[in-house]
Amino acid sequence: MAASFTIPLGIGFFSTTKNASPSCFVKRKGALRINAIANRVEPSKVVPQADKVLIRVEPLPEKSAGGVLLPKSAVKFERYLMGEVLTIGADVGEVEAGKKVLFSDINAYEVDLGTNERHCFCKAGDLLAVVE
């Protein structure tokens, strides 16, 4: 997702004529062009602080075991999610990276790292279970 915009430089940033449009919308030779690109962050390089863990959230099932498509309203226990622990903070003792955990979305803070996957931060004490 790249966006570009132009910032006019010099005197006469806006036109002072009554019916004229602002001169900032006109591309001029003395303008500065800036390309803004959304940052992508590698999840393995994000280090949570204290007792927090970074979790990659697994998507909710769209089909049942029998192959029936499930609408979002039919999925039970939406508030309880499963995911994989990617990185852990310095004060976390019982959970290690790579484990699958069950957690509540009420206690989790979802973050956008610029990837197609969903990630969230959660306190290690708020994790409900480690799935073996």
Side-chain angles (χ1 to χ4, degrees):
M1 264 189 352
S4 63
F5 50 91
T6 304
I7 301 174
L9 299 175
I11 302 173
F13 187 72
F14 289 104
S15 176
T16 56
T17 311
K18 187 172 186 177
N19 293 329
S21 63
S23 63
C24 67
F25 297 115
V26 179
K27 289 187 178 181
R28 297 187 321 205
K29 188 174 181 179
L32 174 68
R33 184 176 174 88
I34 298 173
N35 289 326
I37 299 173
N39 291 335
R40 297 184 106 191
V41 178
E42 185 66 31
S44 61
K45 294 183 179 179
V46 176
V47 180
Q49 297 295 307
D51 64 340
K52 305 270 192 304
V53 294
L54 177 65
I55 301 171
R56 180 177 52 227
V57 180
E58 291 182 0
L60 293 173
E62 296 178 4
K63 288 185 179 181
S64 68
V68 177
L69 292 175
L70 299 172
K72 297 248 185 220
S73 61
V75 178
K76 293 182 181 179
F77 305 113
E78 282 186 55
R79 295 196 173 271
Y80 302 105
L81 302 171
M82 189 174 296
E84 179 184 357
V85 176
L86 297 178
T87 55
I88 60 173
D91 297 340
V92 177
E94 298 131 12
V95 181
E96 53 194 43
K99 293 285 187 176
K100 290 204 181 263
V101 293
L102 183 68
F103 62 98
S104 173
D105 70 345
I106 295 173
N107 298 326
Y109 299 99
E110 189 167 353
V111 292
D112 183 15
L113 299 178
T115 62
N116 294 337
E117 300 170 332
R118 291 175 54 203
H119 296 88
C120 67
F121 284 106
C122 186
K123 283 187 175 182
D126 291 338
L127 296 176
L128 301 175
V130 176
V131 180
E132 299 290 329

